Amino acid sequence: MKRRDLLASLTATVLSAGSNTLWAQNPYPNKAVRVVVGVPAGGSVDMVARLISQSLGDDLGQSFFVDNRAGGSGIIGTDFVARANPDGYTLGVVPAAFIATNRSLFKKLPYDPEKDFAPISKLVNQTMVLVTKPNSKVGSLEALVAFAKATPGALTYGSGGEGSPHHLSGVLFSNKAKISLNHVPYKGSAPAIVDLLAGHVDIAFAGISEVLPHLRSGKLIALGLLAHQRSPLLPDVPTLEQKGYKGVELSAWMCLVAPAGTPREVVSRLNASVAKALAGTAGSKLQEVGLEGSASTPEQLAELIRTESALHRELAKAAGIVPQ
């Protein structure tokens, strides 16, 4: 071994030993942990953050407190996490929109979704579902496609806004089914569902949790899931792939991240704690409100961010979205 290589090897060994000694003396976490959310209090992302923070705190013996830093389509809070000290004491609960979609909606972001974060775990998989009213003229998927092909652009679908998962779901399905749908954007998914119930739009693509009460009451019906397998929340509803539309998969997922450079030991401990939480009480509570707990390895989350960013970029381009 060359002298330079030997010195490098010895240095790495010494640094590793020092890190292990420090870890043994100050096991993580030994103080309160901030969990940043780029949305106001209330809503599904905030609810997931608070539930996971409580579970992590109970398991790891320290306070995990939620810090809402809303604004700028999630950019303010997400960037705060990216710029934080990478010591494990600032984390972020981030929806797909902030870490996979925003780069397609804005010309320039202050953070790089793939380089500025240490992925910890996926938290939630919120499958998107195509819904309509029971008395709709398109009360089945077959009727919807036939009507759309016969009258291109006549069918309207509501969404939570341009570039939202609801919007991109419509773009994805339209492309795969080779039909034209008329997109009607709202300021959030809630008003879009209200207008669907009132008959002002024909269909909607929504997260299961957003429409589950209406599906259970019979006010809405589900025509298909944008997923590769059926959901335990709606076991009788087929996927769009099962109905013949391969590749129509989209989820409004959420994940837990830390700033890039966070020690691997910290990431591993948090990952194990998240998996434990989602396999237990936290997972059960999520399912009660129509959300599916979905843990992952850090590597799986990194790959998800990469592939979904590419997919969302493709869909945004197909939708004619011009980055602001």
Side-chain angles (χ1 to χ4, degrees):
M1 181 181 290
K2 293 182 180 180
R3 184 172 181 272
R4 183 177 60 186
D5 294 337
L6 178 60
L7 286 173
S9 177
L10 289 172
T11 300
T13 300
V14 170
L15 289 174
S16 176
S19 175
N20 291 337
T21 299
L22 184 62
W23 176 261
Q25 292 174 347
N26 298 286
Y28 174 87
N30 55 41
K31 62 180 181 179
V33 179
R34 180 195 308 268
V35 180
V36 176
V37 184
V39 296
S44 60
V45 180
D46 179 69
M47 184 273 291
V48 169
R50 293 180 187 280
L51 182 58
I52 289 298
S53 295
Q54 181 64 52
S55 297
L56 292 176
D58 292 344
D59 184 44
L60 300 178
Q62 285 290 346
S63 171
F64 281 68
F65 65 96
V66 173
D67 180 6
N68 297 91
R69 291 178 177 262
S73 299
I75 293 174
I76 291 175
T78 308
D79 185 49
F80 182 88
V81 176
R83 295 174 181 273
N85 188 16
D87 56 5
Y89 291 97
T90 298
L91 310 175
V93 169
V94 186
F98 298 170
I99 203 164
T101 313
N102 269 354
R103 69 193 314 177
S104 300
L105 304 182
F106 298 93
K107 292 180 180 178
K108 186 176 181 180
L109 288 177
Y111 56 86
D112 185 316
E114 295 179 42
K115 296 179 180 179
D116 291 343
F117 301 97
I120 296 172
S121 177
K122 188 178 178 184
L123 298 175
V124 165
N125 185 61
Q126 184 170 203
T127 298
M128 303 299 289
V129 57
L130 170 56
V131 294
T132 189
K133 294 184 68 176
N135 59 353
S136 170
K137 59 180 175 285
V138 289
S140 70
L141 191 65
E142 293 76 13
L144 187 159
V145 173
F147 186 91
K149 287 186 175 180
T151 55
L155 275 181
T156 56
Y157 78 97
S159 85
E162 189 174 69
S164 66
H166 319 81
H167 179 200
L168 298 184
S169 292
V171 175
L172 178 59
F173 176 62
S174 298
N175 288 349
K176 295 293 183 179
K178 295 180 172 56
I179 59 176
S180 175
L181 299 175
N182 185 8
H183 174 227
V184 182
Y186 290 81
K187 293 182 178 180
S189 59
I193 300 304
V194 168
D195 263 15
L196 173 62
L197 291 167
H200 299 313
V201 291
D202 298 307
I203 60 175
F205 296 85
I208 289 179
S209 67
E210 297 169 327
V211 293
L212 191 58
H214 302 304
L215 293 172
R216 287 173 173 169
S217 69
K219 292 180 180 179
L220 293 177
I221 57 173
L223 304 184
L225 299 172
L226 284 76
H228 71 279
Q229 63 184 17
R230 296 195 184 203
S231 168
L233 297 168
L234 297 171
D236 297 329
V237 179
T239 67
L240 292 178
E241 182 169 330
Q242 289 174 325
K243 299 292 283 186
Y245 300 98
K246 189 175 181 180
V248 185
E249 300 174 19
L250 201 69
S251 165
W253 48 270
M254 305 174 204
C255 64
L256 183 67
V257 299
T262 299
R264 180 67 191 186
E265 296 93 339
V266 172
V267 171
S268 296
R269 187 159 198 204
L270 288 167
N271 178 270
S273 189
V274 167
K276 181 179 177 181
L278 295 180
T281 303
S284 299
K285 289 182 177 179
L286 287 171
Q287 193 163 24
E288 288 174 6
V289 296
L291 296 171
E292 301 171 46
S294 180
S296 74
T297 65
E299 292 75 21
Q300 288 170 333
L301 176 55
E303 178 64 10
L304 178 67
I305 293 171
R306 187 187 69 78
T307 57
E308 289 273 303
S309 293
L311 172 62
H312 292 196
R313 188 182 306 115
E314 184 180 306
L315 293 175
K317 184 177 180 180
I321 295 175
V322 179
Q324 301 300 308

